[in-house]
Amino acid sequence: MDEVKVVVAHSERATLRVGDVFLKVDADRARVDAEVEAMALAPVPTPEVLWRKPPVLAIAALPGAALGRLGEPSTASPEAWAAAGAAIRKLHEAPLPPWAGRRRRDPGELAAELDGECESLVANGVLPADLVARNREVAEAAIRPWTPVFTHGDLQIDHVFVDGDEVTGIIDWSEAGRGDALFDLATFTLGHEEHLGDVLAGYGTDVDVDVIRAWWSLRSLLGVRWLVEHGFDAFAPGCEVDVLRARM
């Protein structure tokens, strides 16, 4: 009998692996609906949906392996990183999905959320004030209007699978929708700054690297407390807190 492996689990949702099948359990049906629709619309390889019985979504495993993981060196080739960049560009050039997505749209709303989170991080002793202040300054460049594109919305490095130098699929589309292209690129390269050039070479168009760096700071500042509260280690080597320290 195949083992049941817990891939990720927290209060919002859980993902289990049983052999070559992933079972995603999510009480938010709208989020599951958006994930299935996004995979159908995305012009890049995605997992096969095997069946749905809310709150469970069953999808097939992808060939190959994740491009890497946050906090660990990636052994993937520069060509694999470039291929991922090309796949991301293909997604961003696709027709917009019919829904807005879950990511915040208004720069004023984003700035207010970030300021509140920074205040909480310092007041509760989660992070030192100078580290927060410096990264809040860096993050300012990301708080601006942008032209929406079809974004993945949570394009972490371990959501992109490769076999050799070929992208075999992208998983976890529950946050997909209209969003900022540079947010996707920043999420994908978070903690792997050394591969940003390879990704952008594959992406194939000029982008504002300062905005990508700003998103690294912004995403990390907004994520640290949530990660800690949900049992993840944002202080592990190479993870979110180290990303913030790199901006000092």
Side-chain angles (χ1 to χ4, degrees):
M1 180 180 293
D2 290 318
E3 287 187 344
V4 177
K5 179 183 178 182
V6 178
V7 178
V8 64
H10 50 76
S11 60
E12 294 183 3
R13 52 187 180 265
T15 301
L16 311 175
R17 180 169 187 168
V18 185
D20 289 332
V21 177
F22 286 89
L23 302 175
K24 301 190 70 173
V25 184
D26 193 330
D28 186 339
R29 182 161 184 169
R31 186 159 50 202
V32 176
D33 290 344
E35 176 162 13
V36 171
E37 187 171 359
M39 288 192 290
L41 292 175
V44 296
T46 60
E48 178 188 359
V49 175
L50 300 175
W51 52 265
R52 294 176 65 191
K53 188 174 181 179
V56 182
L57 169 66
I59 59 175
L62 290 168
L67 188 62
R69 300 194 183 281
L70 183 62
E72 300 176 9
S74 171
T75 59
S77 68
E79 291 77 15
W81 282 88
I88 297 168
R89 174 72 180 278
K90 190 173 183 180
L91 174 66
H92 291 170
E93 290 184 332
L96 289 172
W99 67 95
R102 296 173 179 269
R103 293 298 177 183
R104 48 194 79 76
R105 304 271 74 83
D106 178 72
E109 176 191 357
L110 179 57
E113 180 183 2
L114 180 59
D115 287 340
E117 191 64 28
C118 289
E119 182 178 343
S120 176
L121 289 170
V122 174
N124 292 295
V126 179
L127 294 174
D130 61 340
L131 183 64
V132 171
R134 170 56 183 155
N135 279 275
R136 174 61 183 87
E137 179 184 0
V138 173
E140 186 65 29
I143 304 173
R144 85 280 181 234
W146 58 78
T147 301
V149 301
F150 190 162
T151 57
H152 179 280
D154 190 23
L155 197 59
Q156 299 178 54
I157 183 178
D158 54 353
H159 291 169
V160 178
F161 279 65
V162 296
D163 187 0
D165 299 335
E166 179 183 354
V167 174
T168 59
I170 300 176
I171 65 171
D172 286 356
W173 292 81
S174 59
E175 303 293 334
R178 303 176 187 182
D180 181 4
L182 300 192
F183 175 80
D184 263 1
L185 290 169
T187 301
F188 183 61
T189 54
L190 184 78
H192 289 275
E193 184 171 357
E194 69 278 12
H195 294 292
L196 178 59
D198 298 324
V199 173
L200 295 184
Y203 194 74
T205 188
D206 289 337
V207 301
D208 191 333
V209 174
D210 286 340
V211 174
I212 291 178
R213 294 193 176 103
W215 271 120
W216 288 339
S217 290
L218 202 160
R219 182 182 171 100
S220 297
L221 286 170
L222 290 180
V224 166
R225 185 168 58 88
W226 186 94
L227 290 165
V228 170
E229 290 174 353
H230 288 79
F232 299 99
D233 189 2
F235 290 82
C239 293
E240 284 79 5
V241 175
D242 271 359
V243 170
L244 296 172
R245 289 171 177 153
R247 307 276 74 81
M248 297 298 286

